[in-house]
Amino acid sequence: MRITDLAIQYRTSILVLTALLTFGGILSYKTIPKEAQPSIEIPQIVVTTVYPGASPDDIESLVTQRIEQEVQGINGIKEIRSSSTEGVSTVIVEFDPDVSIDDAFQKMRDKVDIAKAELPTETEEPLVSEIDTQQMPIMTINLAAGYSLARLKEVAEDLRDEIETIPSVLNVDVIGGLEREVQINVDLNALKAYNLTFSDVVKTIQEENTNIPGGSIDVDRANYLVRVNGEIETPDELNNLVVKAPGDMPIYVRDLADVKFGFKDRSSYSRLEVYQQENEEGEFEPLSDEELSTLQVVSLSVKKRSGANILDTVANIDETMETFPFPAGTEYVITGDMSVYVKTMLKDLENNIISGLIFVVAVLLFFLGVRNAFLVGIAIPLSMFISFILFQTLGYTLNFIILFSLIIALGMLVDNAIVIIENIYRYREMGHSRFESARLGTGEVGAAVVASTATTVAAFAPMLFWPGLIGEFMSYLPLTLIVTLISSLFVAIVINPVITGIFARLENEESPPMRRASRIAATVLVILTGVVIGIANWKTLVVLGVSIPTLMILHRRVFKPIGDRFVATGLPRLMSRYRAFLEWMLHRDYSAKRSMLRNTFALGSFTLGVLLLTLGAIVGALAGDLAGQILLVPGG
């Protein structure tokens, strides 16, 4: 193949490319955004309208129906659902999956703006929002303290402002606590006595609580801005505001109302049940029934931006929490931390991939030997490194479906490499040079390898067009398999021939002695690799540290003797029996009645099976699955 010939011709460049792909893949894996589930768009838009004090019947006739009549003219709507409860109207509009959610959201806003003119004047501004799975909180920070909830709410708001400065944090919602407000309790009898109205009090406070710009004034060469600062800074200032002054007798707010610096009505509560407590050694101990307590806390729900790395986001939040100046006596407990789940999931899947890789290499050791197993096995990490680079380039996040798909693809990544490397060794045994064997061996089976990979990719390609939310969610599986298989094909026809040409050795061929500098470089590389793996996941390092020596011992003591015996006696015996079976099955001498009956029975059974399957599909479509199974089972 021409691409393989070019790779062998410029093999130094291919080695450099392999090193770049390795480091690039590791870097991409460390920096690619990680999350629990894929980021998908749910094609639903919700319109929420509040009409205080209205009954459900009034909400339906005055608000819900009018909004439904206006938005139903938008193209691409699949379904409209609504609910009318006391004081609240909720309209949920579901669009077809192929509709752009951004365009649908803008059209919904335009239609709702038109419908607002027909709504009662007492209704609040309709809220148009889209359902975003990424808007779920990634963690909840619960603050508890011995001082008042009002002070704790202020501390929580300061912490919220600090956390929201992190670029990957979208917003932080504060739940619970008490919030200060100025309450002006007007005395109705006093208003009547002074012949005033409630609107007079409201108007006075609105007009006095404002800054009035006065333009600018030039003094010599300087220019000054002039304004009257009238904003009220303390509640006591409200008592001295003059509402009216009939007969030069001022009537103050204090004469009409009682001004208090109180609290808003609580709209949310947050409590924390304490079941275990951390001791001095950092371990959690369960509390007894007498020690169980319920704390009133102020909670902060943190939401990250779409596509941001949840692990980096939580790490930045932890740093902010450590440096934030909490008042004395303040404690915090983090609950619902999604990063813990993501870390556990990633480590488990990483270990599963490593374990699968070890078993694949063990099988390769049994059939191919150490050198060939190594040459074939490098196709797995290289293919995954290339896949990680492509995923990050395409803007995808690393989630559990992609990692699970990598486990599925693990065994398929070595298929191409096995065929090519074994054929290269065949040419090497025929007396060709190393790189000539790589060129001839890859060229002979290259087209078949490409065709084999293309058929597998073609089998998964239709799943990319799976419609609906389930299709969008599951599309990551075929995408991952397609990307990794194409990456393995690139490794098989470009990188493997070069590496095999360099390291391929026959059993009777002596290996050249390794230079001292090469041994030192290899030792340093192994140590650095172990350090990197240990820092990333110590469990993986332990698994590798135990499994690699175990595999080497098993290979020398068990796999190699059994494999040599299988290749020397078992495989030729198996091939001989298979050849005899093929000769018997392909026999076409119909002079013997046995051959004619056998072939007639086989062809008749196949024909009858096809007919039963066809009829079963038709009956299943017309009469139901149970009736179709009666024909499908024997047809199969």
Side-chain angles (χ1 to χ4, degrees), residues 55-127:
S55 65
D57 291 338
D58 293 337
I59 289 290
E60 182 180 10
S61 60
L62 299 176
V63 179
T64 303
Q65 290 182 359
R66 295 182 181 181
I67 293 177
E68 287 178 343
Q69 291 171 1
E70 196 63 44
V71 302
Q72 67 183 0
I74 300 176
N75 294 329
I77 292 180
K78 180 180 180 181
E79 184 181 14
I80 298 178
R81 302 187 302 274
S82 64
S83 63
S84 300
T85 58
E86 184 178 351
V88 180
S89 167
T90 304
V91 179
I92 302 175
V93 182
E94 182 178 354
F95 290 85
D96 294 329
D98 56 345
V99 175
S100 172
I101 194 66
D102 294 332
D103 295 341
F105 184 77
Q106 185 59 45
K107 292 178 181 178
M108 285 289 296
R109 290 180 64 93
D110 296 339
K111 292 295 184 180
V112 171
D113 289 339
I114 296 174
K116 281 195 301 184
E118 302 178 5
L119 301 181
T121 56
E122 295 83 2
T123 57
E124 297 181 5
E125 182 76 15
L127 177 62

Side-chain angles (χ1 to χ4, degrees), residues 135-161:
Q135 298 299 314
M136 301 296 292
I138 61 172
M139 67 186 307
T140 302
I141 304 171
N142 303 281
L143 301 181
Y147 44 82
S148 65
L149 282 176
R151 171 61 178 148
L152 187 61
K153 180 72 173 290
E154 295 175 358
V155 174
E157 291 174 346
D158 294 339
L159 178 60
R160 174 193 63 189
D161 297 338

Side-chain angles (χ1 to χ4, degrees), residues 161-170 302 305 312-321:
D161 297 338
E162 191 71 21
I163 293 176
E164 285 182 345
T165 59
I166 300 174
S168 57
V169 173
L170 180 62
V302 184
R305 296 187 182 277
D312 294 341
T313 302
V314 173
N316 294 331
I317 293 174
D318 291 339
E319 293 178 2
T320 303
M321 298 289 293

Side-chain angles (χ1 to χ4, degrees), residues 26 47 80 110 208 382 410 425 436 448 467-470 555 597:
I26 295 173
V47 182
I80 298 178
D110 296 339
E208 293 293 336
L382 283 177
L410 198 61
Y425 264 84
E436 183 67 15
L469 287 178
I470 299 299
H555 172 68
L597 292 176

Side-chain angles (χ1 to χ4, degrees), residues 607-628:
T607 306
L608 180 61
V610 172
L611 292 175
L612 288 175
L613 290 175
T614 305
L615 292 175
I618 296 174
V619 172
L622 297 176
D625 293 338
L626 183 60

